[in-house]
Amino acid sequence: MKKILALVLALALVLSLCSFASAEGAKKKVGISMPTQSLERWNRDGTYLKEQFEAAGYDAILTYSDNKNDQQVNDIDNMLSDGVDLLIVSAIDGEGLNTCMDSAAEKGVPVLSYDRLIINDASKYYVSFDNYTVGKLQGQYVETALDLANAGDKTFNIEFTAGDPADNNAGYFFNGAFDVLKPYIDAGTLKVVSGQTEFQAVATAQWSTDTALARAQNILASYYADGTQLDAWLCSNDSTAAGVAQAIESDYAGTNAVVVTGQDGDIANLANIVDGKQTMTVYKNVANEAVVTLAVAKAILEGEVNGEELVKTFDVPCAFDTTSYFTSEGNFANSFLLVPSVITADNLQELVDIGLYQWDADQKYLLAK
Ligand code: BGC
């Protein structure tokens, strides 16, 4: 009888500990602040993140701020008032969140910059892809597609479209691509007919498709209407590539296929790749980005982040980096950087194989899964 009683008591203790643990887990609340629903990828990021955190027993608040910095400030302030234990933020303006970062620091709420770095020391952790490599892959794609290394006396014409200057990533993408292509520009093999090679001149506020479209139409009308051949248009991502591809379709006088780069694997752009209007996209598996974010968040909430060790536990390649992304002069974020890859018309099946896309009924275009 005593033994049974002891067993029952032990069982009751285990059960109460379990429910205590889960109640504790359930009490932790994360605030997830995404920039906008108007650009396709953030819908996927928001969904994956929320799902991941909820499945792991956290409460998750998810907001989208319509690409407006003021709204994001407001959304984050509300989350802080709501008592979140951790903030996960993809900043609309990397330098526009200082007041929220001060409040977070005052409240002792850790901040993880998601995909886009917040330039503030309160954000000590950063999960993203290797952004410089994203640009490098785009530049290398153009280099190979035009066979620039063996061009001899041949010359090619190129234009550039970069991202939003408020987004810390945009400069990394542009520099990665430009560094690969600059030697060919210097040698005269590549010519930027518009003369627009500075980041600020080729940048696209809010990564807007319409803005990229209007600028591309303008360039085509001003520099290519006389039949000058355009060989490549380096675009930093898919939303800008969509505008450029549209301009080439409607306003370019030539008939050659223009190499157009992108980034993200947005559904409309994958269709453009099938149709030959865009040539490649740099793919970043945002489901993996969410998984890594959860692991880093857990470590932060448990009070110990050993980045070197943590990356070894991931199923996907991820570098731990403490020297590339600064939050203020001399201070660097603890960065977890995943590895991007190149998708073209030849390897679209890879996106199906990773389980995030599916073929349509005609097996021609990809759809989201
Ligand atoms: C992201 C890209 C995205 C762009 C526009 C960047 O910060 O890294 O994946 O294309 O924002 O949404």
Side-chain angles (χ1 to χ4, degrees):
M1 184 63 192
K2 262 191 187 160
K3 263 190 191 164
I4 292 177
L5 196 64
L7 209 66
V8 169
L9 281 176
L11 199 68
L13 184 67
V14 168
L15 281 175
S16 73
L17 278 179
C18 284
S19 64
F20 176 73
S22 69
E24 279 289 285
K27 265 193 230 149
K28 297 266 186 217
K29 200 189 277 184
V30 297
I32 304 168
S33 168
M34 294 288 113
T36 175
Q37 285 191 288
S38 67
L39 296 168
E40 186 184 310
R41 68 158 289 184
W42 305 110
N43 296 281
R44 280 182 268 138
D45 292 88
T47 309
Y48 292 140
L49 283 167
K50 194 161 189 291
E51 277 173 11
Q52 285 289 325
F53 277 91
E54 285 176 348
Y58 296 91
D59 276 345
I61 309 173
L62 169 65
T63 58
Y64 289 94
S65 308
D66 198 21
N67 256 340
K68 298 188 179 89
N69 184 62
D70 287 355
Q71 191 169 326
Q72 189 162 39
V73 168
N74 222 10
D75 289 340
I76 294 173
D77 281 346
N78 287 339
M79 289 176 181
L80 287 168
S81 307
D82 229 344
V84 291
D85 298 285
L86 172 74
L87 280 170
I88 295 169
V89 180
S90 193
I92 293 160
D93 180 344
E95 297 183 42
L97 298 175
N98 289 335
T99 56
C100 316
M101 292 303 104
D102 289 348
S103 318
E106 264 164 38
K107 290 184 185 248
V109 175
V111 182
L112 184 156
S113 289
Y114 178 83
D115 201 85
R116 300 173 168 181
L117 185 68
I118 304 170
I119 317 296
N120 186 297
D121 291 346
S123 174
K124 289 195 174 33
Y125 304 96
Y126 182 38
V127 174
S128 192
F129 281 77
D130 181 336
N131 296 304
Y132 184 80
T133 297
V134 169
K136 213 167 123 184
L137 291 173
Q138 294 166 337
Q140 285 169 340
Y141 189 88
V142 171
E143 182 184 34
T144 309
L146 302 181
D147 198 13
L148 297 177
N150 301 306
D153 290 341
K154 262 203 243 149
T155 60
F156 297 93
N157 294 331
I158 189 169
E159 298 296 337
F160 289 85
T161 293
D164 186 346
D167 174 352
N168 188 59
N169 288 349
Y172 284 86
F173 300 147
F174 177 73
N175 289 338
F178 202 78
D179 288 352
V180 174
L181 299 176
K182 186 170 184 297
Y184 299 106
I185 296 174
D186 291 345
T189 308
L190 266 186
K191 195 166 169 215
V192 186
V193 181
S194 70
Q196 297 174 16
T197 53
E198 295 298 317
F199 172 69
Q200 287 299 338
V202 303
T204 312
Q206 303 209 320
W207 297 93
S208 153
T209 299
D210 289 345
T211 305
L213 166 68
R215 177 171 166 268
Q217 285 176 323
N218 205 302
I219 287 178
L220 291 172
S222 309
Y223 302 98
Y224 293 87
D226 62 357
T228 300
Q229 177 163 318
L230 171 67
D231 299 292
W233 202 305
L234 191 303
C235 301
S236 285
N237 86 329
D238 280 355
S239 61
T240 53
V244 167
Q246 197 181 322
I248 291 173
E249 202 180 355
S250 59
D251 292 50
Y252 175 49
T255 51
N256 63 300
V258 182
V259 175
V260 177
T261 65
Q263 166 186 194
D264 286 336
D266 287 354
I267 294 297
N269 297 75
L270 295 174
N272 274 356
I273 289 177
V274 172
D275 293 338
K277 297 176 193 168
Q278 182 173 327
T279 325
M280 61 89 82
T281 190
V282 174
Y283 186 66
K284 306 189 299 191
N285 185 325
V286 296
N288 289 342
E289 200 173 1
V291 171
V292 167
T293 301
L294 173 64
V296 176
K298 267 187 177 163
I300 297 171
L301 289 168
E302 280 159 18
E304 204 195 322
V305 184
N306 182 338
E308 295 290 354
E309 289 305 313
L310 198 56
V311 290
K312 291 185 197 155
T313 65
F314 299 154
D315 288 339
V316 288
C318 181
F320 179 60
D321 175 304
T322 55
T323 56
S324 299
Y325 291 94
F326 61 86
T327 50
S328 69
E329 214 184 314
N331 286 323
F332 291 86
N334 294 300
S335 307
F336 297 82
L337 304 175
L338 291 130
V339 181
S341 59
V342 170
I343 291 290
T344 67
D346 296 332
N347 65 350
L348 287 165
Q349 178 63 33
E350 281 182 22
L351 297 180
V352 178
D353 295 343
I354 58 173
L356 300 179
Y357 297 78
Q358 59 190 335
W359 290 108
D360 68 357
D362 300 330
Q363 298 279 305
K364 185 170 180 199
Y365 297 112
L366 289 180
L367 306 169
K369 210 167 170 185

